[in-house]
Amino acid sequence: MAKKAKSRTITVRLISMAMTGFYRTMVRPRTHRPLSMLKYDPVVKKQVLFLEATKGGRNK
Amino acid sequence: MATPQAASSLASKLPTRLRNFFARYPPQIYSTTVRPPITVPKPAALAQAAAGAGAPNATTTTTTTTTTTTTTSSTSSTTPITDAITESLLPSPYTPNREAKGYQPPDHKYSDALLWKGPKGQLNPFLPRKLGERKWEGPRIGLRRQAELVKLARQFGVEELLPPSRKSAEYKEARRAENQGLAVKGTGVGQKVKGHKWERTMEARLEDRRKAMLEMPEMVRLWKQRGHGRGWKQWPKK
């Protein structure tokens, strides 16, 4: 039986680089480059860099 | 402190509840002041506190109490018959002699010895009484009322005129000295309260966060320089 097709988009987790443990969840196309953006972190109450968390370091 | 003159003047100052109690249970019959002297030695910690010496001592209460009990047991088991039974006829764990097996009489503790049962025929109203083999009669005055009376008496400085109670200061002090091992874990000398994991790791986490925030402007500058993440290499791991 054929395997189920992979979805076009994936859900990713953007982790705050302020090391607060805060993260945002986003959806991006599977083939897109990893997401990164400046966003507000409510723990430190500042806009900080959020980077996408890699699963086993696949994002290159 | 309970001279008759002082007592009469004192009695007028006491609240009704205490006066009623002393009328029902006169201090000259029931109180701690007329209790026969206690033969059980004080716990080491308590004796030290009384002596005012601050030096820590490794000897515990149990050692002192066991020495006394062994002396009593040896004196009681000196009859030739029991000696013969315990030594020759019976295997060591089995013996009808309770004292030879290390039985300690119930008032081997200093705190227990403090709880005087009262003079003959006049029972301490603060203590329960054993009726026969298995039945117990509760104290005339329950623990809650005892606590209230003791607090009230302490307020008026007449605590020692009450009968010995589990709620009295001296009993509580003795218990605390005896059961040092049962104190709240981590609060003793040289001990540390374990705390929750979030409490233990809080300092390190805050330090990490502080460092990260210090490096943040530089990180953002690099990120912008590398095309807003296009040339970024150090992605965090999940």
Side-chain angles (χ1 to χ4, degrees):
Chain A
M1 200 168 129
K3 271 191 178 175
K4 198 180 168 187
K6 285 181 177 178
S7 69
R8 197 181 66 81
T9 57
I10 53 168
T11 313
V12 293
R13 193 175 271 195
L14 270 68
I15 293 174
S16 161
M17 287 295 100
M19 297 302 164
T20 55
F22 185 73
Y23 63 87
R24 289 165 184 277
T25 316
M26 301 210 162
V27 176
R28 72 160 164 86
R30 188 179 292 276
T31 54
H32 194 270
R33 64 186 170 82
L35 293 181
S36 60
M37 56 187 72
L38 285 172
K39 280 274 183 193
Y40 181 75
D41 185 335
V43 180
V44 289
K45 297 179 181 168
K46 274 186 184 126
Q47 211 178 37
V48 299
L49 186 63
F50 280 72
L51 296 177
E52 184 181 316
T54 60
K55 273 185 183 169
R58 269 192 299 145
N59 288 342
K60 287 280 152 61
Chain B
M1 70 169 279
T3 55
Q5 297 84 20
S8 60
S9 66
L10 189 68
S12 58
K13 290 177 195 164
L14 292 180
T16 324
R17 189 169 180 187
L18 275 181
R19 262 189 291 171
N20 285 346
F21 179 85
F22 288 133
R24 176 82 180 78
Y25 301 101
Q28 62 269 26
I29 300 173
Y30 291 94
S31 77
T32 314
T33 48
V34 296
R35 177 177 56 194
I38 295 162
T39 52
V40 182
K42 274 187 180 184
L46 205 62
Q48 263 179 26
N57 196 347
T59 52
T60 55
T61 59
T62 47
T63 51
T64 52
T65 49
T66 43
T67 48
T68 55
T69 47
T70 44
T71 50
T72 52
S73 64
S74 62
T75 49
S76 59
S77 64
T78 45
T79 51
I81 300 165
T82 47
D83 274 2
I85 289 170
T86 49
E87 280 171 24
S88 62
L89 293 176
L90 296 163
S92 61
Y94 175 73
T95 163
N97 189 347
R98 291 207 302 175
E99 283 167 0
K101 280 160 110 181
Y103 169 77
Q104 294 179 335
D107 59 346
H108 64 281
K109 276 188 185 171
Y110 178 71
S111 60
D112 288 340
L114 283 177
L115 297 175
W116 177 47
K117 289 181 181 64
K120 213 162 194 184
Q122 313 277 351
L123 289 167
N124 182 349
F126 287 169
L127 293 182
R129 189 159 69 105
K130 199 170 188 186
L131 303 171
E133 269 301 303
R134 301 175 106 179
K135 269 191 176 177
W136 281 83
E137 186 184 58
R140 289 278 159 77
I141 293 168
L143 288 171
R144 182 180 60 79
R145 284 163 71 206
Q146 281 179 42
E148 285 168 0
L149 280 167
V150 166
K151 274 187 257 179
L152 200 61
R154 196 176 302 150
Q155 198 182 328
F156 287 87
V158 292
E159 193 184 341
E160 58 189 12
L161 298 185
L162 290 177
S165 163
R166 286 197 159 77
K167 300 292 180 186
S168 69
E170 62 166 0
Y171 180 79
K172 285 187 172 178
E173 201 182 358
R175 287 280 293 191
R176 222 173 292 134
E178 282 167 359
N179 302 328
Q180 279 166 337
L182 301 179
V184 175
K185 193 181 167 188
T187 55
V189 179
Q191 288 180 333
K192 232 174 152 183
V193 176
K194 188 177 181 186
H196 294 278
K197 192 168 186 184
W198 67 266
E199 288 169 325
R200 297 197 301 266
T201 58
M202 173 117 88
E203 219 166 284
R205 280 183 296 115
L206 287 178
E207 182 59 23
D208 279 357
R209 193 180 297 176
R210 196 184 63 80
K211 273 186 191 161
M213 283 312 287
L214 283 176
E215 290 167 10
M216 189 58 67
E218 177 60 19
M219 202 179 195
V220 171
R221 195 189 62 75
L222 260 176
W223 176 75
K224 282 181 179 170
Q225 199 182 32
R226 292 181 184 172
H228 290 72
R230 275 183 194 83
W232 196 263
K233 295 289 178 202
Q234 298 114 25
W235 296 99
K237 277 186 184 172
K238 202 171 185 179

